[in-house]
């Protein structure tokens, strides 16, 4: 099978796992004693948030790889940009699903809680990164400046998080990561939760691969245009 | 590096002495903002005292955007930025020089801003030295990121709009910590051991280091 | 006679400006102790060629060597030996002529006096030194930036349209200083539409056409 086929198969796999997560989350798992059916958001919301962080992690690593002279290659820049775009989508999804969850549980669509605020800042932070790329025309400049901006964001996120946590917090403390899959979550619920993480991560990978390939194709097309323009200029003499 | 920083800072401040853009345009801007906030809290003037720390930092942040834009528009006026590269100045030195020059201007603006908050909003300040320290460190943090972003965007078409979009989310911790530090200091609760001041120091140090290291990549065409 | 040292060697270089090949497989040479003239219509690539030699412009393919240094690597080292005057004056409008020259001198680590000597050679002295650059005429500003560039006493001087907005007297000064530089073994590259102007003192000429430099 060629690469394209592999990507298509992987995409189908990712979407199937998401579908299974939905079936499990909506029908197979039981409602919560306190939260009722609302608890079903737990199969989506944390997984989506995890993917957003994963995406920005990839952005940071590939930006560092671009800035470091030994590994400098446009591929890293394209990967950073692709991952950020997907990350922004997942950050927005995190905010939306969180908001939907928050309305019935806390009674408000939005509250200035630490994690919400950090996530909102994360969204505008990386929107700024994408905007900077848009206004920078020269390819090399765009790559360098984008990488520096991504590095600034990377250093900023923990500081933002720390400051906002000190500021105030009323978010439920993380239930999954600290526990030995535990009295609170059991059986099929735990499996569905895990499947949610897996499936959204797979979707992320698939989207980034797709976006990256488009970016590469765009660059190739641009290259072709440039080669043509050079030939034309040389030939015009 | 320090020689280049000094040359750049002295040059920038001399230009300000001659052109007085900060004095004649940004300082009045600060005054207008002070008055406008009073309009916004028109019904509850006592609230102004409570929110003064936040207003201080919001105003400082907005005026720093103007000061940064001014600092880099004078470099692109006659392509002088090209010259800085041509003369072979150390990029780290250029970066530090720019930060110092804008910091001096901002300190002037913030002294004025503080006076406005004291007299117009009837706020009582106690720990002046602590207050000055946290304000300067916080401003340094804003500028440490701001100079990098301004250099990146000063030649682009959308320079006026892109700088705030880039800078404001990044310096959110400064706004938060600075406001808290001011609140604590006004309440006489905390000195230099205040964790918020610690966060301001960490922010400034991290981004000064990053800016010094990466300014070469930012500046080179 | 020993063979003359080659100062600039550009081979098959392409430079892109926003996707457009401003230089397309261009060849260009400069040797020591010569005055080279580059003529050509607008958009033929003169400015880009000079910027390339000055190390303030990257390139896509080909090879650029200035003083034997490969410009694919670090261009910063080359810039110390190259003076450049472009269309923009590279001066600060809000500073006086004196302050601008002092700033440039301290950037370059050259004595102030030298910068002022060159300034007076270009007819800038006395009261004019204390005028703000922003209030000077275009020709006067050009003289300031020429004086600043010459005062670096670089081995290679690149002048982009130096005649534009210069008066007759200014052009005379420019010619005299260029000739003196050549006698000292330095090279001067001049891009200009006004071919006749420097014709008499030029050693070699190039004609730019469609992003390439043709020897005349």
């Amino acid at each position: 099978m060629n690469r394209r086929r592999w990507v298509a198969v992987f995409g189908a796999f990712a979407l199937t796992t998401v579908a299974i997560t939905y079936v499990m989350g909506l029908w197979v798992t039981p409602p919560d004693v306190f939260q009722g059916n609302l608890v079903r958001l737990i199969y989506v919301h944390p997984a989506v948030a995890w993917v957003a962080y994963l995406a920005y992690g990839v952005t940071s690593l590939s930006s560092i790889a671009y800035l470091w002279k030994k590994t400098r290659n446009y591929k890293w820049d394209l990967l950073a940009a692709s991952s950020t775009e997907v990350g922004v989508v997942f950050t927005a999804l995190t905010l939306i699903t969180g908001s939907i969850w928050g309305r019935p549980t806390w009674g408000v669509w939005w509250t200035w809680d630490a994690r919400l605020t950090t996530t909102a800042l994360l969204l505008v932070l990386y929107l700024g990164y994408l905007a900077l790329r848009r206004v920078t025309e020269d390819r090399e400049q765009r790559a360098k400046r984008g990488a520096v901006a991504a590095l600034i964001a990377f250093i900023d996120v923990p500081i933002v998080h720390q400051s906002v946590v000190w500021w105030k917090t009323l978010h439920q403390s993380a239930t999954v990561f600290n526990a030995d899959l535990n009295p609170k979550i059991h059986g099929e619920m735990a499996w569905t939760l895990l499947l949610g993480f897996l499936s959204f991560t797979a979707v992320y990978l698939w989207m980034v691969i797709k976006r990256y390939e488009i970016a590469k194709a765009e660059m190739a097309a641009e290259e072709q245009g440039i080669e043509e323009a050079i030939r034309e200029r040389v030939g015009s003499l | 590096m320090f020689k280049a920083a000094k040359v750049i800072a002295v040059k920038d401040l001399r230009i300000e002495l001659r052109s007085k853009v900060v004095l004649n345009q940004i300082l009045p801007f600060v005054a207008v903002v002070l008055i406008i906030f009073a309009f916004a809290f028109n019904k509850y003037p006592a609230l102004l005292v409570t929110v003064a720390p936040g207003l201080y930092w919001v105003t400082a942040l907005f005026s720093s955007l103007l000061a940064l834009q001014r600092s880099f528009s004078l470099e692109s006026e006659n392509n002088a930025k090209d010259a800085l590269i041509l003369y072979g100045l150390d990029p780290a030195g250029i970066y530090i020089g720019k930060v110092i020059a804008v910091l001096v201007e901002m300190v002037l603006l913030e002294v004025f801003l503080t006076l406005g908050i004291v007299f117009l909003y009837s706020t009582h300040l106690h720990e002046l030295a602590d207050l000055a320290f946290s304000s300067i460190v916080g401003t340094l943090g804003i500028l440490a990121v701001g100079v990098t972003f301004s250099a990146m965007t000063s030649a682009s078409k959308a320079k006026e709009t892109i700088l705030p979009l880039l800078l404001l989310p990044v310096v959110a911790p400064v706004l938060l910590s600075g406001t808290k530090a001011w609140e604590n200091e006004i309440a006489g609760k905390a000195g230099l051991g205040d964790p918020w001041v610690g966060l301001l120091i960490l922010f400034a140090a991290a981004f000064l280091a990053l800016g010094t290291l990466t300014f070469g990549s930012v500046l080179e065409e | 006679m020993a063979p003359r040292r080659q100062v600039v060697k550009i081979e098959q270089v392409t430079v892109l400006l926003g996707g457009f090949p401003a230089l397309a497989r261009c060849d260009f040479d400069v040797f020591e102790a010569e005055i080279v003239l580059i003529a050509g219509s607008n958009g033929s690539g003169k400015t880009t060629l000079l910027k390339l030699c000055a190390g303030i412009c990257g390139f896509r393919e080909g090879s650029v060597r200035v003083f034997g240094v490969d410009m694919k690597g670090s261009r910063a080292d080359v810039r110390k030996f190259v003076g450049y005057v472009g269309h923009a004056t590279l001066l600060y409008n809000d500073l006086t002529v004196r302050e601008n020259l002092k700033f440039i001198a301290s950037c370059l680590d050259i004595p102030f006096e030298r910068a002022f000597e060159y300034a007076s050679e270009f007819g800038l002295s006395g009261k004019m030194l204390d005028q703000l650059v922003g209030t000077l005429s275009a020709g006067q500003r050009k003289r300031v930036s020429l004086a600043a560039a010459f005062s670096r006493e670089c081995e290679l001087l690149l002048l982009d349209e130096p005649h534009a907005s210069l008066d007759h007297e200014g052009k005379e000064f420019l010619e005299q200083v260029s000739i003196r530089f050549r006698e000292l073994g330095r090279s001067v590259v001049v891009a200009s539409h006004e071919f006749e102007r420097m014709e008499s003192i030029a050693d070699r000429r190039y004609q730019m056409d469609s992003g390439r430099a043709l020897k005349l």
Side-chain angles (χ1 to χ4, degrees), chain B residues 57-80:
Chain B
W57 281 104
V58 170
T59 315
L61 187 54
F62 285 146
S63 43
S64 74
L65 282 173
L66 297 180
L68 283 166
Q69 266 165 353
R70 163 66 186 161
S71 174
F72 280 88
S73 77
L74 60 90
E75 299 297 347
S76 45
E77 201 169 56
N78 291 321
N79 266 348

Side-chain angles (χ1 to χ4, degrees), chain A residues 95-112:
Chain A
L95 288 174
I96 293 168
T97 51
S99 199
I100 293 172
W101 204 351
R103 175 79 179 119
T105 35
W106 298 330
V108 282
W109 291 109
W110 183 261
T111 173
W112 293 102

Side-chain angles (χ1 to χ4, degrees), chain A residues 61-81 133 139-140 143-144 147 212 216 219:
Chain A
L61 288 180
S62 39
S63 296
I64 292 168
Y66 182 82
L67 275 185
W68 200 32
K69 289 219 167 81
K70 275 185 191 164
T71 48
R72 179 163 295 176
N73 190 317
Y74 280 123
K75 283 180 180 173
W76 294 118
D77 178 54
L78 297 183
L79 180 60
R133 297 186 64 93
R139 196 194 289 162
E140 195 183 332
K144 275 188 190 165
Y212 175 77
K216 236 171 61 178
M219 202 163 108

Side-chain angles (χ1 to χ4, degrees), chain B residues 3 7-8 11 14-15 18-19 70 74-75 77-80 82-87 89 220-221, chain C residues 51 54 56 75 79 84 88-96 99 103-104 106-109 132 152:
Chain B
K3 203 196 120 254
V7 169
I8 294 288
K11 183 263 303 173
R14 181 165 288 143
I15 290 178
R18 295 227 177 254
S19 65
R70 163 66 186 161
L74 60 90
E75 299 297 347
E77 201 169 56
N78 291 321
N79 266 348
D82 266 358
L84 299 185
I85 301 171
L86 271 169
Y87 299 154
L89 283 181
E220 285 255 3
E221 308 269 328
Chain C
K51 281 192 171 173
I56 48 174
R75 305 198 283 264
R79 294 188 192 123
Y84 170 79
T89 57
L90 309 182
L91 302 170
Y92 296 99
N93 289 348
D94 291 316
L95 293 180
T96 64
E99 287 163 342
F103 169 68
I104 294 167
S106 48
C107 283
L108 296 168
D109 254 332
L132 292 181
R152 296 182 65 177

